[in-house]
Amino acid sequence: MRSLVILVSLLVSALWTSCQPGSTAPANPAQASGSVATPVPVVSAKLAAADFQTKMAQVPNAQLIDVRTPGETAQGIIPGAVVMDIQSPDFSQKLATLDPARPVFVYCARGGRSARTAEVLESMGFRQIYDLDGGFFGWQAASLPVAKP
């Protein structure tokens, strides 16, 4: 958890500094080389359980991430999820193994930790991030399938 806080603090600081008046860094790095690049829009959405399931089915190369602790995942996971414990000291390194070009679906127990994870993923360059509103409890309340880890 501490490494996540440090990572987020560093990213916020870097973004704040680059946005200050008088900053010499170009707003778009492609402009520095004279080329014109179209920025890739960020698609970041909080989806209800049924919509989350539908969207995952529509995206064949999606990455599904469960950021709950081992004690929580023992209750079950969404089928196909990769568990990346947000409290693990190597959580940031595990996130770095994901492919930023592929959509990411993320969830936790209720939605707080996954929302923070979605913000970190966006700061890491991910452009398609879907967060399960209500988390795993919302998934279970909608009577959607659960697998054992």
Side-chain angles (χ1 to χ4, degrees), residues 39-119:
V40 177
V42 175
V43 176
S44 184
K46 190 172 274 287
L47 301 175
D51 296 330
F52 191 85
Q53 181 187 43
T54 299
K55 188 69 176 174
M56 276 194 307
Q58 296 170 345
V59 181
N61 63 343
Q63 302 168 101
L64 176 60
I65 309 303
D66 182 330
V67 298
R68 295 177 300 150
T69 64
E72 293 171 308
T73 59
Q75 302 169 17
I77 63 172
I78 295 174
V82 174
V83 178
M84 293 185 182
D85 178 4
I86 194 170
Q87 295 180 0
S88 171
D90 63 346
F91 180 67
S92 296
Q93 290 84 2
K94 287 181 180 179
L95 288 181
T97 66
L98 299 172
D99 182 354
R102 293 173 46 206
V104 177
F105 290 78
V106 62
Y107 69 95
C108 62
R110 297 194 187 275
R113 292 171 288 176
S114 60
R116 291 192 307 269
T117 302
E119 290 173 1

